[in-house]
């Protein structure tokens, strides 16, 4: 398909952009001509992502930092702005997840997911705001169906992503007069990702997921990226504060159905090993 969006000379920062969906987003902007910066904790993942993104011809920057550490996030964003100029697009997608019951999850385990997903998103948006092009910048948070659908073994992610949705909508309200749009993309089950490997680790559970999606398949990182390319373009100039599912219709009810299978685990904790969880 020919490139429908031209981001030549634009600057894009993707927090958590070194693997999975977020890397797919970073790649899509790079292919569309943007200068792209990515950030995550693992230096080897950052280096690999930078090497791959550089093949598209734009400038690429990588930062090894934890989104829970405000000063490190702020330094990375300031550095990207120094190199690229004001940021046109800021994507916040770093997240952590594992299946675990609320009754056995430790306080620190709950806090780790709240810290990465919710505090991390706040840090990225808070530190990023000063470096955004005003007017004109677009901010995109990466949420999840858990933000509105209660799911067993997801008390941490449900709580964190619900917070991400409200953070997104609140910033949209506060930043609108500065000409900054803030929206969330809510991916459904995306093929080949760490997230789905953790939540649907067996072929049987994968099939349950597929069966519970109205479009009857997993989505791709490219399909999430396509929505981001549109959302940060002039084609979406009147869209802000929106929470947009890109999920094959999964959030219409299927997501909850799929997790009915997981509910069996609540009554049979011995089954939890099958979901790759430790407690
Ligand atoms: N079940 C229950 N508790 C778990 C767990 C699991 N599968 N995995 C980790 N924890 C607990 C740990 O035991 C620890 O709690 P404790 O101190 O009471 O023992 C707490 O979570 C924090 O673990 P730690 O490994 O120190 O956290 P971290 O901040 O280094 O890593 C995670 C964060 C746990 C979310 C890790 O899985 C991660 O880095 N994930 C990123 C990739 C990912 O999740 N991708 C999918 C995105 S949707
Ligand atoms: P992934 O590949 O594990 O991506 C997570 C990214 O965040 C990685 O680059 C990871 O790199 C980084 N990261 C994790 N913790 C971090 C931290 N503390 N600080 C900085 N970076 C950190 O997962 P994914 O499955 O593609 O998920 C990507 C996003 O989509 C997440 O927001 C997730 O909630 C959302 N989502 C996914 C699905 C799905 O089907 N997979 C569905 C709905 C929503 P490092 O390990 O190097 O830090």
């Amino acid at each position: 398909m020919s490139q429908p969006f031209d981001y030549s000379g634009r600057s894009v920062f993707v927090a958590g952009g070194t693997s999975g969906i977020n890397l797919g987003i970073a790649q899509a902007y790079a292919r569309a001509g943007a200068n792209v910066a990515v950030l995550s904790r693992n230096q080897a993942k950052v280096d690999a992502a930078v090497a791959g993104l550089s093949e598209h011809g734009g400038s690429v920057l990588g930062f090894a930092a934890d989104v829970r550490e405000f000063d490190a996030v702020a330094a990375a964003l300031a550095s990207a702005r120094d190199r690229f100029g004001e940021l046109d697009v800021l994507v916040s997608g770093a997240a952590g997840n594992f299946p675990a019951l609320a009754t056995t999850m430790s306080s620190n385990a709950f806090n780790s997911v709240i810290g990465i997903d919710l505090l991390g998103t706040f840090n990225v948006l808070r530190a990023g705001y000063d470096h955004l092009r005003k007017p004109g910048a677009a901010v995109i948070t990466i949420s999840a169906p858990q933000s509105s659908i209660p799911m067993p073994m997801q008390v941490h992610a449900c709580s964190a992503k619900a917070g991400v949705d409200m953070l997104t909508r609140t910033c949209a309200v506060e930043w609108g007069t500065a000409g900054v749009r803030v929206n969330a993309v809510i991916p459904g089950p995306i093929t080949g990702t760490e997230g789905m490997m953790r939540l649907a680790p067996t072929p049987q559970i994968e099939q349950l997921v597929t069966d519970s999606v109205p479009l009857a398949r997993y989505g791709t990182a490219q399909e999430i990226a396509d929505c981001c390319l549109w959302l940060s373009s002039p084609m979406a100039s009147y869209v802000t504060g929106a929470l947009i599912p890109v999920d094959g219709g999964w959030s219409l009810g299927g997501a909850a159905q799929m997790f009915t299978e997981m509910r069996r685990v609540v009554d049979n904790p011995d089954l939890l090993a099958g979901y790759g969880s430790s407690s």
Side-chain angles (χ1 to χ4, degrees), residues 143-151 165 184-190 196 208-219 224 243-259:
S143 185
Q146 287 92 325
S147 68
S148 62
I149 301 171
M151 297 181 185
D165 284 2
V185 171
I186 305 180
I190 302 303
M196 286 315 292
L208 275 169
V209 176
T210 303
D211 291 345
S212 65
V213 176
L215 290 184
R217 64 172 176 85
Y218 276 50
I224 305 304
L243 315 172
I244 303 178
V246 183
D247 66 353
W250 205 37
S251 54
L252 298 176
Q257 280 171 36
M258 185 308 254
F259 278 84

Side-chain angles (χ1 to χ4, degrees), residues 73 77 87 90 123-132 134 175:
V73 172
L77 281 153
L87 300 177
L90 176 61
N123 286 344
V124 170
L125 269 58
R126 170 70 180 83
Y129 183 79
D130 290 344
H131 306 298
L132 297 176
K134 303 181 200 76
W175 299 355

Side-chain angles (χ1 to χ4, degrees), residues 156-263:
H156 45 8
C158 289
S159 306
K161 293 292 193 178
V164 168
D165 284 2
M166 285 308 287
L167 175 59
T168 303
R169 299 170 77 204
T170 307
C171 289
V173 169
E174 290 195 8
W175 299 355
T177 52
V180 174
R181 297 182 296 108
V182 190
N183 293 287
V185 171
I186 305 180
I190 302 303
T191 190
T193 58
E194 182 65 28
M196 286 315 292
M197 278 186 286
R198 290 178 182 220
L199 296 181
T202 67
Q204 291 82 355
I205 303 171
E206 271 187 26
Q207 190 60 51
L208 275 169
V209 176
T210 303
D211 291 345
S212 65
V213 176
L215 290 184
R217 64 172 176 85
Y218 276 50
T220 64
Q222 180 64 50
E223 289 173 314
I224 305 304
D226 287 343
C227 183
C228 294
L229 290 175
W230 166 74
L231 205 40
S232 58
S233 80
M235 300 292 285
S237 55
Y238 202 50
V239 181
T240 197
L243 315 172
I244 303 178
V246 183
D247 66 353
W250 205 37
S251 54
L252 298 176
Q257 280 171 36
M258 185 308 254
F259 278 84
T260 302
E261 161 65 9
M262 280 198 160
R263 265 227 314 270

Side-chain angles (χ1 to χ4, degrees), residues 14-122:
V14 185
T18 63
S19 64
I21 293 170
N22 303 318
L23 177 58
I25 294 168
Q27 287 167 336
Y29 281 108
R31 273 198 298 276
N35 299 321
V36 177
V38 292
L39 174 151
S40 83
R41 294 165 301 177
N42 183 303
Q43 185 70 58
K45 278 177 73 173
V46 171
D47 293 343
V50 168
L53 291 164
S54 299
E55 289 171 10
H56 300 290
S59 297
V60 180
L61 294 171
F63 302 96
D66 191 315
V67 290
R68 291 168 286 192
E69 293 168 14
F70 181 81
D71 290 348
V73 172
L77 281 153
S79 179
R81 191 253 182 88
D82 286 347
R83 282 285 301 280
F84 292 166
E86 288 173 325
L87 300 177
D88 297 288
V89 183
L90 176 61
V91 179
S92 182
N97 199 349
F98 47 82
L101 300 170
T103 45
T104 53
M105 182 185 299
S106 73
S107 174
N108 192 40
F110 184 82
N111 193 43
S112 72
V113 173
I114 297 291
I116 301 170
D117 295 23
L118 181 52
L119 175 63
T121 301
F122 173 77

